[in-house]
Amino acid sequence: VQLQESGPGLVKPSQTLSLTCTVSGGSITANYYYWTWIRQPAGKGLEEIAYMTYSGSTYYSPSLKSRTSISRDTSNNQFSLELKSVTPEDTAVYYCVGSSRYLTYDYWGQGTQVTVSS
């Protein structure tokens, strides 16, 4: 399974960050898979943002829930992230991750740097 993030590398404060993960080598509806967005600010640890299961159920990190939306496009085998009202504190490398079981984090995209700046 391969994952590839895509989206703008620069977002202005107060705007919406939108990223898409294209999955190949496996279906996002395959039984028991979890599809997660994770980010890592420079010099800090990994932070789970949200995930969607193979059946379409979703989970959001409580600290980001009010600003986050995760969705999927099964026809294109993609899942996406929207993070609203961004601030410079949202600057990070964003990863999409696939798990064959509950959050095993088996497959990682290469990551995409997103900078929030005017």
Side-chain angles (χ1 to χ4, degrees), residues 6 9-10 13 35 46 48 52-53 56 59 62-63 69-70 72 77 80 88 91 99 116:
S6 60
L10 180 64
W35 305 98
L46 296 169
E48 182 182 82
M52 177 174 281
T53 72
Y59 166 85
S63 63
S69 178
I70 189 171
R72 67 180 182 176
N77 215 37
S80 298
T91 295
S99 301
V116 179

Side-chain angles (χ1 to χ4, degrees), residues 37-91:
W37 286 99
I38 289 173
R39 70 182 183 181
Q40 185 171 31
K44 298 184 179 181
L46 296 169
E47 178 184 21
E48 182 182 82
I49 302 169
Y51 66 74
M52 177 174 281
T53 72
Y54 62 98
S55 64
S57 299
T58 57
Y59 166 85
Y60 296 95
S61 167
S63 63
L64 296 168
K65 184 175 182 178
S66 64
R67 300 194 289 130
T68 307
S69 178
I70 189 171
S71 60
R72 67 180 182 176
D73 178 353
T74 56
S75 62
N76 288 308
N77 215 37
Q78 298 174 326
F79 65 104
S80 298
L81 174 73
E82 283 197 344
L83 181 64
K84 301 177 182 177
S85 303
V86 297
T87 72
E89 286 66 43
D90 294 310
T91 295

